[in-house]
Amino acid sequence: MEFSAPTMVYQAVLFVALYFVLKSLVFEPFLAKLDARHQRTRGALEEAGKLRDEAERLHADYEQQMAAVRREAAAARDEIRRQAEEEEQQIIEAARQEAARSLAEAREKIAAEAQATRAALAADTARLSEEILASLLGRRS
């Protein structure tokens, strides 16, 4: 294979012509599609970044709202507990008062029964004393 000047010029012209044909038919469409693909990928990444930021913001909002709800629930629970304790104290106090009243009534009833029993015993004692005395005197006389 010999390299002569006309062959070299012919090959150079053929190379340049083929370059321009391939440039317009293959290279430019390929590079355009590659650039478009790169742009879509970059756009998708940017959109994903925006969505990630939005998700983080929504998560932060959610956490703040949940913290507020937890605080409200804790306050409501404490209030319910406080009311239950107050109600418990009122019930206990009412039971104590009822027990004291029942005890006082029972003591009064017992005292009245004891007084009635003493009175009955006193009457019976006097009657029995008279019977015993009469019996003793009746026998001796």
Side-chain angles (χ1 to χ4, degrees):
M1 189 177 300
E2 288 184 32
F3 291 105
S4 62
T7 304
M8 296 273 280
V9 170
Y10 172 73
Q11 284 181 353
V13 169
L14 186 61
F15 177 77
V16 171
L18 189 59
Y19 171 76
F20 283 115
V21 169
L22 287 176
K23 180 181 173 193
S24 65
L25 293 177
V26 176
F27 298 146
E28 286 179 357
F30 175 74
L31 291 175
K33 287 184 180 188
L34 190 63
D35 189 44
R37 180 178 165 194
H38 181 68
Q39 293 299 328
R40 283 193 314 267
T41 303
R42 186 180 309 153
L45 289 173
E46 289 174 359
E47 182 66 23
K50 288 178 185 177
L51 290 174
R52 188 179 311 112
D53 292 343
E54 179 67 14
E56 288 174 2
R57 185 188 64 77
L58 289 174
H59 182 71
D61 288 347
Y62 169 78
E63 288 298 327
Q64 288 176 348
Q65 291 173 356
M66 285 303 294
V69 167
R70 286 184 189 109
R71 283 191 301 272
E72 289 174 10
R77 183 183 62 237
D78 291 343
E79 178 63 23
I80 290 169
R81 182 178 290 133
R82 185 191 60 76
Q83 289 176 353
E85 288 172 353
E86 286 178 4
E87 192 173 314
E88 177 187 24
Q89 290 300 321
Q90 290 173 353
I91 290 170
I92 289 171
E93 185 59 33
R96 282 183 183 151
Q97 290 175 357
E98 177 64 24
R101 186 187 59 77
S102 294
L103 183 62
E105 286 177 2
R107 284 183 178 162
E108 288 176 9
K109 184 177 178 183
I110 290 170
E113 287 176 3
Q115 185 65 28
T117 303
R118 282 189 198 111
L121 284 176
D124 284 346
T125 303
R127 183 183 54 79
L128 284 174
S129 295
E130 288 177 7
E131 286 179 10
I132 291 173
L133 189 61
S135 169
L136 287 176
L137 291 176
R139 284 188 192 171
R140 287 191 182 175
S141 356

